[in-house]
Amino acid sequence: MRFSAPRSLSPSPARRSKSKSKRKIESTSTPRRNTSTFGLNSPSNEDDSDIGSNGSGPSDSDYDTELDSSEVSSSDSDSFCYGSESEVPVPPPRPSRLSLRPIHEQRFIEDTVAAIRSRMRYNDPYEDWERETKKDSLRVARKEHIASQTQFRQSQTLREAQESKNREELHEQQRHEVNSMLEKLRLNQQEAERVLREKWQQREKMLWDRIEKGIKLDEDKVKAKVEEERRIREEEERKRKEAEEKRLAEEKKKKEEEERKRREEEEERKRIQEEKETREREAREKAERLQAEAKNRKEAGLTTADEDWVEVRKNLNFIKTQGTKFVKARPDLKPIWGAARRQITPKVGQVTNDSESINRVSAELIRILRPPNPHPREVYTALLSSLSKAFLLQAETEVTAEKKAVVPLAQVAFNCLDMLEGLPEVFFAKINQRIGGWGIPISLPDKDFDGRPWTGNAEKLKVSGRRDGETEAEYTDRVMGIMRLYFAVLKIKPARQPLKGMWQLPRVWTWFARFTGERRLLETAVGAQVLYVALDVLGKDARAIWGFQFVKLLALIYEGTTNGLGNGRLIGGTTPEGIAARARVQLEVEAIMKD
């Protein structure tokens, strides 16, 4: 195997150009015997041939020289060297120009050619160094090749040994796995044989059990048939006795039921009669008391609950006939009322608990109802109704959800009641229209203010403030929200002059006195809730104003929540809502008395 080191190009451009010029001159003068870097006869090549001829045979230098010549001929693509003299092309004959020149020019040319030839025979030390470097490189490459081959053979031997070892280990592992698999198959076969034997034994046992069960079944059928016949006879006898006992029991129960119904009817009759007599007595005593107090009440400017009810119903009738319905029927008045009404609702919803907002909203509402150019009387009445309805709707939504929301709303309502003429009567009438007679308070009378009886239950429900499809809880929440607003307005102290009678603080005592005298209201869950709201809003202020008298009233209320109202019934009734409301009333009375 031969190795050759590539010949590097000469780094000197001047030398490369000189070599090219020398090769050109040599090619034009005489043929070359040996090839050199410059295209002329090189004395170094002759030395090399002499070295190769001495000795007993070819040496490393001869081998290197051959490699160098082959490399030069194959790798140096930029030189015009040939492998032998036979490859050198014969130059075409040219006509001799010396004969045409003068003698001194011919001599000058010959001297010049001779100087060039002598110059060309110069031995270049760089080429000697390059040649030695190639030889050294070849020796180093040969040593490295031998070392790499030795290392490769050693690594190959080690790899073959390692692979042989790995194969033996793999074969051993596979042999172990095969033995394990065979052992596992043997155990599985033994387990399958055991399971098969057990199944066979169970099948045999089941077969004999089935045979025995068949025999026993036939025996049981005979016994069951005999037992069934005996049971049927006993069942028929038992049914006959039960029918006889049931007939006797039903007859007895029927007699007892008839007796119980008769007693209940008698008790109910007595109770109704007693309640009727009680109501008549209370009504008579109330009428006598009112008649006796009529003079003093008239002098004091006080009214009864019935008189307030009649007044409220009259005001409602006036609002409808001379206000809302009248305006809706007039095309010239309806747009005025509609434009102002659409401004009222957003203003009421903008109220927040700060004095600036309260004063601003109050002034804007008053300006809407009392503009520089006053509204017609009918439009003004209809707007008073719309303003009252806006306050009540806000109380039903906001106050029901958050009790603190009643404070700014009550202050705005108080400012409007103070500044707008006719609003106290309209507002109070609208309260009793939406929730019934809780603001007076009074139980629903049997007749209207004009003496006309109610046409049916639908009209009675409407007058009491209830709506179609409304649950008891929803009705209670609405009543509590509106009554909290009413009590909060009563609590506010006027700055310049008191409001109308139904909006003054003394109305609180009148309301509590009337409410504690209406047992039918106190026995309902809604009544207990309204009583709690009144105590929560006005209880502490009422005690501070009326002192011991109000404490006696609180004692009467507490007695009604613990021992009853004198007829065996408690405040709030027996419903879960009433029981919860009664507990709130008790806690509120205790809280008022602790302060």
Side-chain angles (χ1 to χ4, degrees):
M1 186 174 222
R2 296 183 178 182
F3 294 89
S4 61
R7 180 180 181 277
S8 60
L9 297 178
S10 176
S12 174
R15 177 175 292 178
R16 285 200 301 268
S17 62
K18 185 184 295 186
S19 64
K20 288 181 181 180
S21 61
K22 288 182 180 182
R23 283 195 301 267
K24 187 175 180 182
I25 295 171
E26 183 66 21
S27 64
T28 56
S29 59
T30 57
R32 292 169 298 176
R33 291 182 306 166
N34 275 330
T35 303
S36 66
T37 306
F38 299 96
L40 301 175
N41 293 330
S42 175
S44 62
N45 293 336
E46 295 176 359
D47 296 339
D48 293 338
S49 62
D50 293 339
I51 295 173
S53 61
N54 295 330
S56 60
S59 64
D60 292 341
S61 62
D62 296 335
Y63 185 72
D64 294 342
T65 304
E66 292 177 2
L67 289 176
D68 293 342
S69 62
S70 64
E71 284 183 11
V72 169
S73 62
S74 62
S75 62
D76 294 342
S77 60
D78 58 344
S79 63
F80 294 91
C81 300
Y82 296 96
S84 62
E85 293 182 357
S86 62
E87 294 180 3
V88 178
V90 178
R94 290 183 301 174
S96 177
R97 296 182 180 179
L98 296 176
S99 60
L100 300 179
R101 298 179 180 275
I103 296 175
H104 65 278
E105 291 184 1
Q106 293 179 6
R107 290 177 180 177
F108 179 75
I109 292 171
E110 290 175 358
D111 293 340
T112 302
V113 171
I116 290 171
R117 286 178 179 173
S118 63
R119 189 81 172 177
M120 290 169 55
R121 290 188 183 92
Y122 174 73
N123 186 16
D124 191 354
Y126 174 78
E127 290 183 353
D128 295 341
W129 172 81
E130 185 178 17
R131 196 162 38 251
E132 291 299 326
T133 302
K134 287 182 179 180
K135 291 179 183 179
D136 294 340
S137 299
L138 182 61
R139 282 194 296 272
V140 171
R142 184 179 296 151
K143 290 180 181 179
E144 291 180 354
H145 174 69
I146 293 171
S148 62
Q149 287 293 324
T150 303
Q151 185 178 3
F152 172 73
R153 291 191 184 93
Q154 291 177 356
S155 62
Q156 189 174 16
T157 303
L158 292 175
R159 184 169 61 254
E160 290 176 355
Q162 184 66 29
E163 290 179 354
S164 177
K165 183 179 179 182
N166 292 340
R167 281 196 300 273
E168 290 178 359
E169 292 179 354
L170 178 61
H171 292 164
E172 182 66 22
Q173 182 180 0
Q174 291 177 349
R175 184 165 51 255
H176 179 71
E177 291 177 354
V178 170
N179 293 335
S180 301
M181 187 178 297
L182 293 175
E183 182 66 18
K184 186 177 181 180
L185 291 175
R186 186 179 64 79
L187 294 176
N188 291 339
Q189 184 179 5
Q190 293 178 358
E191 182 66 19
E193 291 176 356
R194 184 184 64 78
V195 172
L196 186 61
R197 283 196 299 270
E198 291 179 355
K199 289 183 177 180
W200 180 262
Q201 293 174 0
Q202 291 178 0
R203 180 176 177 276
E204 186 177 3
K205 184 175 180 299
M206 289 174 59
L207 181 62
W208 282 107
D209 290 343
R210 189 181 302 171
I211 294 172
E212 292 177 357
K213 286 181 180 180
I215 297 172
K216 189 174 182 301
L217 183 63
D218 293 337
E219 294 177 353
D220 292 341
K221 285 182 179 179
V222 176
K223 291 181 180 179
K225 186 176 180 180
V226 176
E227 185 68 20
E228 182 67 18
E229 292 176 354
R230 183 184 63 79
R231 188 185 63 77
I232 291 173
R233 291 194 301 270
E234 292 179 352
E235 185 69 17
E236 291 176 353
E237 183 67 19
R238 184 183 63 79
K239 287 182 179 180
R240 186 183 63 78
K241 291 181 179 180
E242 286 181 354
E244 183 67 20
E245 292 176 356
K246 185 177 181 181
R247 183 180 63 79
L248 295 175
E250 287 179 354
E251 291 178 355
K252 183 180 180 181
K253 184 178 180 181
K254 186 176 180 180
K255 290 179 181 180
E256 292 177 353
E257 186 69 20
E258 291 176 353
E259 183 67 21
R260 184 182 62 79
K261 287 183 178 181
R262 186 183 62 79
R263 287 196 304 269
E264 288 180 354
E265 290 175 357
E266 185 67 23
E267 291 176 357
E268 183 68 18
R269 204 165 38 247
K270 288 181 180 180
R271 187 182 64 79
I272 293 174
Q273 184 65 25
E274 289 177 356
E275 288 183 355
K276 183 178 180 181
E277 292 176 356
T278 302
R279 285 198 302 269
E280 291 177 354
R281 185 176 66 255
E282 290 178 353
R284 187 169 55 254
E285 291 176 355
K286 183 178 180 181
E288 291 175 357
R289 186 175 66 255
L290 293 175
Q291 186 176 1
E293 297 173 353
K295 183 178 180 180
N296 296 332
R297 190 170 57 252
K298 185 176 180 181
E299 293 177 356
L302 300 177
T303 57
T304 63
D306 295 331
E307 292 172 352
D308 289 345
W309 170 260
V310 172
E311 185 67 21
V312 165
R313 294 297 297 175
K314 286 181 180 180
N315 291 335
L316 283 175
N317 184 64
F318 176 79
I319 294 169
K320 290 181 180 179
T321 57
Q322 301 299 323
T324 308
K325 288 185 177 180
F326 182 81
V327 171
K328 288 181 179 180
R330 294 281 299 274
D332 56 335
L333 300 179
K334 186 177 179 180
I336 302 174
W337 169 71
R341 180 174 60 87
R342 285 189 292 271
Q343 298 178 27
I344 290 174
T345 304
K347 298 298 180 184
V348 175
Q350 295 173 2
V351 181
T352 57
N353 194 11
D354 61 276
S355 58
E356 182 181 355
S357 174
I358 293 171
N359 294 332
R360 177 180 55 82
V361 173
S362 301
E364 291 176 353
L365 291 174
I366 294 171
R367 188 165 50 253
I368 292 172
L369 273 80
R370 285 174 28 183
N373 295 326
H375 294 299
R377 182 178 58 83
E378 295 82 0
V379 176
Y380 180 73
T381 304
L383 290 177
L384 291 178
S385 176
S386 300
L387 179 60
S388 302
K389 184 178 180 181
F391 284 135
L392 296 178
L393 289 175
Q394 190 73 8
E396 290 178 1
T397 56
E398 295 294 333
V399 177
T400 301
E402 178 58 44
K403 295 190 295 184
K404 295 180 180 180
V406 75
V407 176
L409 184 63
Q411 186 63 53
V412 174
F414 180 85
N415 294 338
C416 293
L417 289 169
D418 189 23
M419 298 300 296
L420 297 175
E421 183 180 359
L423 183 59
E425 293 81 0
V426 175
F427 197 3
F428 192 72
K430 295 295 287 185
I431 288 176
N432 289 275
Q433 179 190 15
R434 295 190 69 86
I435 61 174
W438 293 104
I440 295 176
I442 188 175
S443 300
L444 185 64
D446 298 331
K447 298 179 182 180
D448 203 351
F449 72 96
D450 54 359
R452 178 183 60 84
W454 310 119
T455 57
N457 291 330
E459 186 179 7
K460 291 178 68 175
L461 289 176
K462 183 178 179 182
V463 174
S464 64
R466 296 182 181 270
R467 301 171 182 172
D468 294 337
E470 186 178 40
T471 62
E472 189 69 18
E474 293 174 347
Y475 174 71
T476 302
D477 291 339
R478 286 199 307 108
V479 172
M480 291 176 64
I482 293 175
M483 290 304 296
R484 185 176 290 275
L485 174 62
Y486 177 62
F487 293 140
V489 174
L490 294 179
K491 187 178 180 180
I492 299 175
K493 297 180 181 179
R496 55 190 188 90
Q497 62 181 6
L499 302 179
K500 293 294 181 69
M502 69 286 294
W503 296 100
Q504 295 179 5
L505 186 59
R507 186 77 178 184
V508 176
W509 178 265
T510 303
W511 189 91
F512 274 108
R514 289 178 181 177
F515 194 77
T516 52
E518 291 288 343
R519 291 185 179 179
R520 282 187 290 177
L521 297 180
L522 289 173
E523 292 172 359
T524 62
V526 182
Q529 294 281 15
V530 174
L531 182 59
Y532 161 72
V533 172
L535 293 173
D536 183 32
V537 178
L538 297 168
K540 296 179 181 179
D541 295 323
R543 183 189 174 189
I545 294 171
W546 289 286
F548 184 70
Q549 295 297 326
F550 190 75
V551 171
K552 290 195 296 183
L553 185 62
L554 292 177
L556 181 62
I557 294 172
Y558 197 81
E559 182 70 16
T561 59
T562 54
N563 298 328
L565 301 171
N567 55 357
R569 299 183 182 181
L570 299 173
I571 292 177
T574 58
T575 61
E577 295 81 4
I579 295 172
R582 182 167 60 248
R584 293 192 188 97
V585 171
Q586 289 180 358
L587 294 175
E588 192 60 33
V589 172
E590 293 174 357
I592 294 171
M593 294 304 298
K594 286 181 181 179
D595 294 340

